[in-house]
Amino acid sequence: MATTSGLHDIPLLPGSPRRLSPRAVVRGGQGPKHGQQCLQAPGPPAQGLQGSVPQGSGQASGGGSAPNSSVINNYLEASEPVSSEARVSRMHFYDSQRKVDYVLAYHYRKRGAHPGHSSPGHNLAIVSNGETGKDPQAGAPGDIELGPLDALEEERKEQREEFEHNLMEAGLELEKDLESKSQGSVFVRIHAPWQVLAREAEFLKIKVPTKKMYEIKSQGSIAKTFSKILHKLSAPLKPRVPEHSNSRMKNLSYPFSREKMYLYNIQDKDTFFDNATRSRIVHEILKRTTCSRANNTMGINSLIANNIYEAAYPLHDGEYDSPGDDMNDRKLLYQEWARYGVFYKFQPIDLIRKYFGEKIGLYFAWLGLYTSFLIPSSVIGIIVFLYGCATIEEDIPSKEMCDQQNAFTMCPLCDTSCDYWNLSSACGTARASHLFDNPATVFFSIFMALWATMFLENWKRLQMRLGYFWDLTGIEEEEEHSRPEYETKVREKMLKESNKSVVRKLGTSGTEAEDEDDEDKLTWKDRFPGYLMNFASILFMIALTFSIVFGVIVYRITTAAALSLNKATRSNVRVTVTATAVIINLVVILILDEIYGAVAKWLTKIEVPKTEQTFEERLILKAFLLKFVNAYSPIFYVAFFKGRFVGRPGSYVYVFDGYRMEECAPGGCLMELCIQLSIIMLGKQLIQNNIFEIGVPKLKKLFRKLKDETEPEEADSAHSKHPEQWDLDYSLEPYTGLTPEYMEMIIQFGFVTLFVASFPLAPVFALLNNVIEVRLDAKKFVTELRRPDAVRTKDIGIWFDILSGIGKFSVIINAFVIAVTSDFIPRLVYQYSYSHNGTLHGFVNHTLSFFNVSQLKEGTQPENSQFEQEVQFCRFKDYREPPWAPNPYEFSKQYWAVLSARLAFVIIFQNLVMFLSVLVDWMIPDIPTDISEQIKREKSLFVDFFLKEEHEKLKLAEEPARRSQSSGHCSKRGPAASPAPSGRSQLGSSASSGSQHTSV
């Protein structure tokens, strides 16, 4: 078969690519078999390149010459370089016609060549399907005698050649540079022609718009008027991008089918599928194409894991900061979304989805809704805080504590070195506690529990709305391919089983046959060591977190005792210890977060999950569990355990000899909980979420730049001045998934909901962080990461279940914070059960118990006390019987009354909020009414449209027969030959009527 005509016959396989051995690769001298469909793909025209293709370059090796194993058949001589300035687009092959849909990158290394001998210019090779040409460098002037490759490089090269041949067998068209240097990177550019796109779109059931458009049913008059007013008011906040979901017209969508091409309005085959869809189709082919030389590994991911290729990625739509007025989606996203200057604008969700795919689009839609929902919670939080500020002068308990005339002499805070002290010295702490410990915080806790429910319900509604506009309704789960590590484990298992089967071949029973069927998959027995290691490691990590929290407690106790010995530092002991301990906790949390992320990934790899989705879900659960315990364990300690196991004067609980358990401040532990929560939350957001996300990528980029400068360069100066898009994208960071982005927001959601009773300003700081976070993530995706593969998904997956669990857990936590940590319940009990006038006058005295100082243990009395002659009784915060009671220092009736009230409040609060949450869930339907009606309407419209098109097709097919009958001519042709002219007439008529009918 001659190739000088410029047309190459490419075998087009109807299904997934068959597994090819190296001998089965189609060579240039072989034509397609009889009955096999062939795609006529024009070769790259010579006039599109600066320099002519040498004679014979496209000819097959025939005659007496041995068949050449190279897949290169079209190339440019080194003396005729291609100028990148003369090319129309850097998104296409060098013929400036075929679009680059995907890129494979690998690094090669040769021995025996000198870097200085390489020729300048682009040494280009275009790989075509099934074609084999002569070695382009054979006998050319200025050739380099390259040394033999080592065994590993040779093996990788053969595996790459076979994989690329298999890709061409699947119908893809490839282009790559020649390996003309001693070492370097090679980019294999992949183009999917129309026939491949149509075949794979049908196989993947990709929904595409049909010719039928319909108007979305308008809302009621009141809702329509309100929508118009809202649209006008929000006009300055909208990004200047083409709108899709807000349009009143929508195309009917239908899964692509080559047999129903008349349904679609295909005006240009090159642009019918957008770039994201084209790269998704190519990626699906890459994932299922096998390589027999690489132990029959399946897909590009396995080859990347085995270092046969370095990277595989789709191209960005050009540069985001290119000068000029030429606009592409990436540049538009950068200008209207990925800059801090447009922080006040809405996100262009439809354009994000179009460019990055549904999975990333749903993440940013969820982040946008979460950020917008933080606005009302922030406003209410500020109001609650301002209420505390306004009523601080009216708070009777804090007034009593600050009253120096009615001073309470308190028992020493430590043994020997600490003196008796006046309660009025803690006046500042008591007044500050009122800012967060007031009746409004109870209302705010109930509000935030309902807020979390309303947020999740509104997300479900938004998810359904986006699913309708993005045509995600009714999509099926895509087939998951096995992970490379899973394939390796299965292969190792099969090798072991094959060795065993030689011994037990005789007497094969039915059960043994079933065992042989299970050889190609991993059972629970194979995974049991991994599960055991996971269980032990997670328990160890949780124990490590608790031990670190205990270590910080010991630090607080010992530091407080040490500072109390010095008179100069004695007055600021509590502030110093609290501040330093919180900073230590923050540093430990940040360090352990990074460690736990790596450990969770390693533990998930040990489990050997089969698919990427299973791997991701298990990784998320492990990472969330470890990071949740790491972030919240110090906060849980302050909220529920600090000051609960102190004991009483004369019978204190000691950690070590002479070191008492620490107790809460006179105003309670709520103020310290607020300090702990605020510093950890703000520190995590500022350092981990922002500095790490901004600084680490810049350091990596600087490191790569320094590395490139130190390495000897063999590239020509023209190419370095005008790098191709695949070169620019290769230098970007690889996309590693959305797990880190979701994880930091989920942990923040916990800070906002779990302990909001102690820190009403948490939503405010979360809102300020998220305004920056949205633009930070946007800038990272647009400018710093390679373009991710477009993934279609209907929801955010397991993250919704985690959010729902945190929302329900927050109700219980806030109930206990209000009941146990704050003074809300003791104040209510005193006001309605023990107060003489129904006010809080005398509340502080009611909460303090008496202790006879003569009963202090020997050696624990204060040294050189100024109160020594006067103090007979000191006070401590607890509900205990006085020394003169029949049962001194036992828990009093007030203690049991307050405890029962606390438990009753927890039960009532939890059930009330849960009931209200269920009520809100029931009142807000998951699917918006208008969307539900539109989905039903769309189904009926499509049935009508489909029947109408079928009727038109039938009429066009019957028209030639009616014409022949009316003219009175007798047809002498058999019935088997009649469909051909009717098909031609159908094509002509359809073209004239404007309905495009395309035969594939």
Side-chain angles (χ1 to χ4, degrees), residues 100-118:
V100 177
D101 297 316
Y102 220 87
V103 175
L104 306 180
Y106 65 88
H107 189 82
Y108 71 92
R109 177 173 54 86
K110 295 182 179 180
R111 295 192 303 178
H114 302 285
H117 290 175
S118 62

Side-chain angles (χ1 to χ4, degrees), residues 122-308:
H122 287 287
N123 296 317
L124 174 71
I126 300 176
V127 179
S128 292
N129 298 324
E131 295 292 335
T132 305
K134 296 178 181 179
D135 188 356
Q137 296 294 332
D143 278 348
I144 306 166
E145 290 290 334
L146 295 176
L149 295 169
D150 56 74
L152 182 61
E153 282 293 323
E154 182 66 31
E155 184 181 357
R156 288 176 178 173
K157 182 179 179 181
E158 290 175 355
Q159 291 172 3
R160 283 194 295 266
E161 286 182 355
E162 186 202 347
F163 184 73
E164 288 163 14
H165 270 297
N166 292 349
L167 292 178
M168 293 187 293
E169 284 290 317
L172 297 177
E173 297 176 8
L174 278 65
E175 177 188 76
K176 64 191 289 188
D177 298 325
L178 295 178
E179 300 176 5
S180 59
K181 307 166 188 173
S182 60
Q183 64 175 352
S185 296
V186 171
F187 300 97
V188 181
R189 281 87 68 185
I190 302 175
H191 169 75
W194 169 255
Q195 280 80 354
V196 175
L197 294 173
R199 182 190 74 208
E200 296 298 322
E202 182 175 358
F203 176 69
L204 297 172
K205 298 179 181 178
I206 295 176
K207 282 189 173 183
V208 293
T210 62
K211 291 182 291 186
K212 174 68 175 177
M213 292 188 73
Y214 69 96
E215 186 178 1
I216 298 173
K217 190 177 179 182
S218 58
Q219 303 168 338
S221 58
I222 300 175
K224 191 174 181 180
T225 306
F226 179 75
S227 179
K228 283 183 178 179
I229 296 172
L230 192 64
H231 183 77
K232 288 182 179 179
L233 291 175
S234 61
L237 304 178
K238 290 186 177 179
R240 292 173 294 177
V241 297
E243 295 184 4
H244 298 284
S245 60
N246 292 328
S247 175
R248 303 309 305 168
M249 300 298 294
K250 185 180 184 297
N251 281 92
L252 279 176
S253 295
Y254 186 73
F256 189 85
S257 173
R258 288 176 289 179
E259 295 179 355
K260 297 181 175 63
M261 299 286 282
Y262 53 87
L263 296 177
Y264 317 111
N265 189 15
I266 306 176
Q267 298 177 354
D268 187 356
K269 292 180 179 180
D270 292 335
T271 58
F272 182 71
F273 296 106
D274 59 23
N275 291 346
T277 306
R278 293 175 69 99
S279 63
R280 177 190 165 208
I281 288 172
V282 175
H283 187 239
E284 285 295 327
I285 299 174
L286 290 172
K287 284 197 297 185
R288 69 167 189 249
T289 302
T290 58
C291 183
S292 60
R293 287 181 181 270
N295 296 321
N296 290 323
T297 53
M298 173 75 81
I300 186 63
N301 294 333
S302 301
L303 298 177
I304 292 175
N306 295 327
N307 296 319
I308 297 167

